Amino acid sequence: MTITNCIKLFFIKYLTKKEVRNKYLFEHHFFVNRYYLNHTANEMNMSYILNMTCTELNQTISHYYDQDFKALCDMYRFKHFWEEFTNPLNAGLSVQSIIASCGFNSTEDFNSLIADHKEESRDILKRNFS
């Protein structure tokens, strides 16, 4: 472990409030490890991984991201889908395989997400194809 990581660990572990520690822990597993791409991603599993209650997890997400767990997962899954869909390396892949690689359980789940967020989807398409 590098000296920088040791200092960060000490700071996070001993000098920050539990709420802030929960935020750092959540961000590491959710964003850095891309937990949202897991097909079985849910609040119960995430709280188990982070060794906190579902209530603590929901409070952290609500406080820092102003969303619930499912909405945050859906948003980052869609962002990841868009990055992969527009990546030239994936030109030979089917849309269904890209959807599956982004954590969606089925094409129907992806379609319902798009249908529930028509305005945001339209804005993304307009921004990238106009």
Side-chain angles (χ1 to χ4, degrees), residues 8-24:
K8 283 182 185 178
L9 179 63
F10 177 82
F11 178 75
I12 291 169
K13 195 170 187 178
Y14 298 108
L15 301 177
T16 59
K17 296 179 186 176
K18 185 177 182 181
E19 177 183 306
V20 177
R21 281 193 308 262
N22 287 348
K23 176 186 181 277
Y24 286 131

Side-chain angles (χ1 to χ4, degrees), residues 29-53:
H29 287 281
F30 191 82
F31 298 114
V32 176
N33 292 341
R34 294 182 173 183
Y35 177 78
Y36 53 89
L37 296 179
N38 187 334
H39 288 277
T40 60
N42 62 45
E43 294 172 22
M44 297 275 298
N45 289 339
M46 188 69 179
S47 63
Y48 178 76
I49 290 169
L50 302 178
N51 195 29
M52 64 176 73
T53 66

Side-chain angles (χ1 to χ4, degrees), residues 64-78:
Y64 289 102
Y65 304 101
D66 200 27
Q67 295 183 26
D68 64 9
F69 183 81
K70 184 178 179 341
L72 197 62
C73 278
D74 286 344
M75 181 173 75
Y76 278 89
R77 282 177 177 162
F78 184 78

Side-chain angles (χ1 to χ4, degrees), residues 39 77 96 99-100 103-113:
H39 288 277
R77 282 177 177 162
Q96 287 83 6
I99 289 171
F104 294 101
N105 290 319
S106 66
T107 351
E108 290 76 26
D109 286 349
F110 177 77
N111 291 340
S112 75
L113 175 69

Side-chain angles (χ1 to χ4, degrees), residues 114-126:
I114 298 297
D116 292 344
H117 296 89
K118 287 181 183 175
E119 287 297 315
E120 293 96 334
S121 303
R122 186 181 55 118
D123 290 343
I124 289 171
L125 291 171
K126 186 186 258 185

